[in-house]
Amino acid sequence: MGEFILTLLHAVTNTHIQHFRANTNAEHDQLGEFYPALSDLVDELTEAMQGRTSKKIEYPVQYYPPADTPIEELEMLLAYVDEERRGEDIPQNSEIQNLIDEITAQIDSTLNKLKHYK
């Protein structure tokens, strides 16, 4: 669970960095909506996981830098979440998976905006 949550938190940081590096006002605005929304969703997910498992999550010490573009960052994040959400370390309870669904929906929506509303 720790690696999963940490990766999501790094995505918050990385998209915040990309928000500062944005090449267009639209990209700046879209990322400015995304990273705080993702942060809130990760907070909800983390608290729900800890509540469901009655365990505090242990986090590895690692960091990955931002991708070259926001679209690349979000596409890699989406692929990671889709792959890891079914892993043995992630609770499969419906409320946990529903929170992960909200995260993937936020990623999907932002990717749509980044790709089509420049």
Side-chain angles (χ1 to χ4, degrees):
M1 286 188 293
E3 181 181 325
F4 187 74
I5 297 299
L6 188 63
T7 298
L8 293 171
L9 290 171
H10 287 322
V12 172
T13 299
N14 289 346
T15 54
H16 197 162
I17 290 167
Q18 290 172 328
H19 163 79
F20 294 135
R21 294 179 179 170
N23 292 317
T24 67
N25 190 53
E27 186 178 83
H28 181 81
D29 290 348
Q30 291 150 2
L31 293 170
E33 292 174 12
F34 177 77
Y35 73 83
L38 180 60
S39 180
D40 290 344
L41 290 168
V42 174
D43 188 74
E44 285 182 57
L45 176 63
T46 303
E47 290 175 356
M49 285 178 156
Q50 289 184 161
R52 173 53 81 164
T53 63
S54 298
K55 297 179 198 171
K56 286 201 173 186
I57 297 173
E58 298 290 328
Y59 299 95
V61 178
Q62 62 188 26
Y63 173 72
Y64 73 90
D68 290 335
T69 69
I71 290 173
E72 186 181 337
E73 180 78 27
L74 293 180
E75 286 177 339
M76 289 185 337
L77 180 62
L78 184 59
Y80 174 82
V81 171
D82 284 344
E83 176 71 24
E84 296 297 320
R85 71 183 298 170
R86 302 287 177 220
E88 63 185 47
D89 292 334
I90 305 301
Q92 298 301 304
N93 310 84
S94 63
E95 75 275 16
I96 302 297
Q97 291 298 316
N98 286 339
L99 289 168
I100 295 172
D101 285 341
E102 290 183 41
I103 289 169
T104 59
Q106 187 68 48
I107 297 167
D108 290 340
S109 176
T110 304
L111 277 169
N112 178 59
K113 291 173 188 174
L114 289 169
K115 289 178 179 180
H116 301 289
Y117 302 107
K118 301 176 183 190

